[in-house]
Amino acid sequence: MTDMMKRTVVVTGGARGIGRAVCLAFAGPGTNVYFNYSSAPAASSETERMVIEAGGDAKGMQVNVRSEKEVEGFFKKILEETGRIDVLVNNAGITRDGLLVRMKEKDWDDVLDVNLKGTFICTKIATKPMMKQRYGRIINISSVVGFSGNPGQANYVASKAGIIGFTKAVAKELASRGITANAVAPGFVETDMTASLSEKVKESMINQIPLGRAGKPEDVAAAVVFLASESAAYITGQVIHVSGGMYM
């Protein structure tokens, strides 16, 4: 990259929560931030506004990460407008919790399709321009439960554990092209996804955290920005746990 080029960052699931925090963490005059959302146009507009107010350029698009056709259109639009893909943050994810013996096949398929297949599709398509550039940063959002397991979340746990193995395989495949691939594993973080939990469940979770508090989306975003920086140029195939010591 030359000093005059603006870095292009793509964040999946960027309208709310951790995704929004990541978009804001990258906001600045030297960065174009693109993100997708599935069903939150108002939140998307708010994220765009916040990034622009922070001095960056932002654009949100409604894209289903399970659809290779839609993802191809998303990245084609980005390349037409900026000519580059420098950073990909695979953050899009859903939950469909339930005990294994009661879990519907659709609940399994939906979670694996968004969380794991979506990460595969977005990485596959973004990798092509990165290889031509001989430069790229891929950061995948996994979870502490991908290491520890969690009852009632067999589908979610499987998807997040799969992301770890996927990240390591991609890191080995792409290292010779100047592309790094790493993952961040958040613990219990205050987001819309966790807000619906009962106070009793939240208290139980916090009691498992040595630092004694829930994480914030900004805690996760800081790790993502580090992995996308030149300070992390010699790091690939690794997982940074952002869990307050919940998993060691």
Side-chain angles (χ1 to χ4, degrees):
M1 293 179 66
T2 69
D3 291 339
M4 298 300 292
M5 284 183 178
K6 294 183 71 173
R7 188 163 67 155
T8 298
V9 176
V10 182
V11 182
T12 68
R16 296 179 292 195
I18 290 172
R20 173 182 283 178
V22 171
C23 290
L24 286 169
F26 279 111
T31 306
N32 296 301
V33 178
Y34 287 81
F35 63 94
N36 87 298
Y37 64 94
S38 60
S39 60
S44 171
S45 296
E46 179 70 3
T47 299
E48 285 184 2
R49 182 190 64 77
M50 293 170 75
V51 172
I52 291 168
E53 286 183 354
D57 291 318
K59 182 175 291 186
M61 295 175 61
Q62 189 167 19
V63 178
N64 180 1
V65 296
R66 294 186 281 189
S67 167
E68 188 163 353
K69 183 177 180 180
E70 288 191 32
V71 174
E72 284 178 342
F74 180 45
F75 281 99
K76 181 180 179 182
K77 177 72 170 175
I78 295 169
L79 289 169
E80 287 172 351
E81 294 184 357
T82 72
R84 309 182 56 81
I85 305 289
D86 297 293
V87 180
L88 170 64
V89 183
N90 285 304
N91 167 73
I94 63 171
T95 58
R96 296 286 186 272
D97 295 349
L99 294 175
L100 178 64
V101 294
R102 298 175 184 169
M103 186 173 290
K104 297 177 182 177
E105 185 176 356
K106 187 178 186 305
D107 291 338
W108 175 273
D109 289 344
D110 285 348
V111 170
L112 270 291
D113 277 356
V114 173
N115 299 9
L116 187 55
K117 182 181 176 182
T119 295
F120 154 69
I121 290 173
C122 292
T123 303
K124 175 185 173 182
I125 295 171
T127 291
K128 294 174 183 177
M130 286 182 176
M131 290 174 71
K132 290 180 181 178
Q133 297 163 188
R134 300 191 70 82
Y135 176 88
R137 299 283 185 266
I138 299 166
I139 300 103
N140 300 320
I141 305 302
S142 179
S143 170
V144 64
V145 301
F147 292 84
S148 66
N150 202 37
Q153 287 193 311
N155 47 4
Y156 186 76
V157 169
S159 72
K160 293 302 184 178
I163 284 173
I164 298 304
F166 176 77
T167 301
K168 292 178 180 293
V170 168
K172 290 191 174 183
E173 284 190 26
L174 301 178
S176 64
R177 300 299 185 99
I179 302 168
T180 65
N182 293 287
V184 175
F188 181 55
V189 178
E190 295 173 347
T191 65
D192 290 347
M193 192 179 288
T194 60
S196 61
L197 298 174
S198 69
E199 290 303 315
K200 183 177 181 180
V201 170
K202 291 178 184 178
E203 183 179 352
S204 175
M205 295 289 284
I206 290 172
N207 286 338
Q208 300 174 48
I209 302 170
L211 286 181
R213 69 169 177 87
K216 298 183 181 299
E218 292 77 14
D219 295 323
V220 182
V224 172
V225 170
F226 166 69
L227 289 172
S229 73
E230 292 311 298
S231 297
Y234 200 56
I235 300 173
T236 195
Q238 304 304 309
V239 183
I240 293 181
H241 288 265
V242 183
S243 64
M246 190 175 185
Y247 179 86
M248 297 187 186

